[in-house]
Amino acid sequence: KAISQDDIDYFTKIGINIVYASEQQLEAKYNTDYFGKYHGSSQAVLFPTCTEEVSKILAYCNEHKIGVVTQGGNSGTAGGAIAQQSEVILSLRDMNKVRDLDVISGVVVAESGCVLAELDAHVRESGYIVPVDLGAKKRCMIGGNVSTNAGGLRYLRYGTLHGNVLGLEVVLADGRILDALFSLKKDSSGYDVKQLFIGAEGTLGVVTAVSIALAPKPRSSQIAVLGLSDFSKIQKAFVLARQNLGEIISAFEFWERRCNELVVQYEKNPSPLADPHEFFVMIETRGSFERHDVEKMDAYLEVLAAEGLVEETKVFRDSDEMERTWLFRSQMAEAHAKSGCMHVYDFSLPSRYQHDLLVAVKTHLTDAGLYGVADAPVRDVTIFGHIGDDNIHLQVVADEYGGVVEEVMEPWVYEWVGGHGGSVAAEHGLGMHKGKFLKYSKSPVVIDTMKSIKQMLDPNGIMNPGKHVERA
């Protein structure tokens, strides 16, 4: 049910900080997603400061059947943190303490409201880094990262949050506190319950604290940016990178010419290479011995040149230059969004099909009369992504959201991806929109099992209602 004044009075009485206003007043900060595509209708935002307060909130909401949408930095792209049915928003902004840092075992225990960049800066002082790194790290929060199973820029090196998260503290829909906040790296004592909540997007409970295995802070880093003429050369360069750079490779990113042009145009950031190219690759290494790492990179680049794979190469070893290069890569989504209404698709797709997807989408939109002709509603179709983990981001930039472009693209593009062995959601989650396409990458038995788990843990359906698997 919609929240009432009686509900507001109760939350105020138990000491919960609350903002109660019209949905229009909450629009900019809480009722709109990062890129302005999804809009919500919540009129109340609750700001708990501890797990016990979250427990009281959920127990009350469950009893009175009030929907709850958990929100961290609101930096997602799938609308998962937007209250579409006048639910209350549960902001974890004020739950931002680092509870413990074990510098011997390299484990941090942090509350969900810790901003990723700030948490990373904190552990760096003790010689560690947080293993997940995202373009939105100055805004996103660790609880949201876990709840969406965010992959990020260095997945190739540090892996998934399913592997790095050691324990969770979760408040269930009925207010019970599930304390699985272990800091042990080995534990085979029964079901690994925490895994249910990694990637659940707040549909099973509220993640209030996280225990994460940290990685050592690298002593040596370098970046090489390559210009290439076709996608097959990217694939060959990646295979050679795995063979020649081995244990020090930490990222292998790619983008196409139009992505490069958009960042230069809308972010006013100069291209990392002097000349235009059909494709760009950014390779990062992280190690502990600079001379060894430099030698390996130089040898690798010599191999690429000998194989005739690259048109231009530039290496960055100064920290400021490397930071600017990463900034260029991380600004791609924002640049696309500034150029028009960006329909963003986040797929896992075997590398051998990724360029085929781009060609297929352009052909499909052209055949529909929506792209490649005068006054067409689609301005750009581009791809960029993390070649090392098969995660590709497809952007269709149009004059407006939804409409004929979405009708022509969906479900066609999801069916195409599923038919080529891909996943309809790689790292952005299912959110408000993609649950109905889950059938293209998950079997009926898997979907039924997911629904059974949802029904068991949230029988009243108050946790992020109408999203995720509920739409499947």
Side-chain angles (χ1 to χ4, degrees), residues 4 29 44 55 65 79 208 212 242 277 312 396 399 457 463:
S4 68
K29 195 167 184 180
S55 175
K65 296 183 173 59
T208 51
I212 300 178
R242 296 293 297 269
H277 302 277
E312 184 182 0
V396 177
D399 293 335
L457 291 176
M463 302 305 303

Side-chain angles (χ1 to χ4, degrees), residues 18-51:
I18 186 169
V19 172
Y20 187 42
S22 70
E23 59 189 74
Q24 291 78 18
Q25 289 173 303
L26 298 178
E27 172 77 10
K29 195 167 184 180
Y30 301 105
N31 276 332
T32 304
D33 79 307
Y34 190 57
F35 290 120
K37 180 177 181 179
Y38 299 103
H39 299 272
S41 54
S42 180
Q43 297 181 39
V45 185
L46 306 178
F47 298 91
T49 59
C50 63
T51 302

Side-chain angles (χ1 to χ4, degrees), residues 10 111 139 190 223 241 289 337 347 350 377 390 404 406 411-412 442:
Y10 170 78
E111 293 180 343
R139 177 171 176 168
I223 290 174
F289 186 36
F347 299 129
D390 291 336
V404 66
E406 192 167 290
W412 173 84
K442 291 286 190 292

Side-chain angles (χ1 to χ4, degrees), residues 347 409-421 424 437 440:
F347 299 129
M409 282 293 294
E410 301 171 11
W412 173 84
V413 71
Y414 293 101
E415 187 174 6
W416 193 99
V417 168
H420 289 78
V424 301
F437 305 117
Y440 294 112

Side-chain angles (χ1 to χ4, degrees), residues 107-125:
V107 176
V108 68
V109 178
E111 293 180 343
S112 288
C114 289
V115 175
L116 179 57
E118 295 173 4
L119 181 61
D120 186 66
H122 179 81
V123 301
R124 278 178 177 271
E125 294 176 0

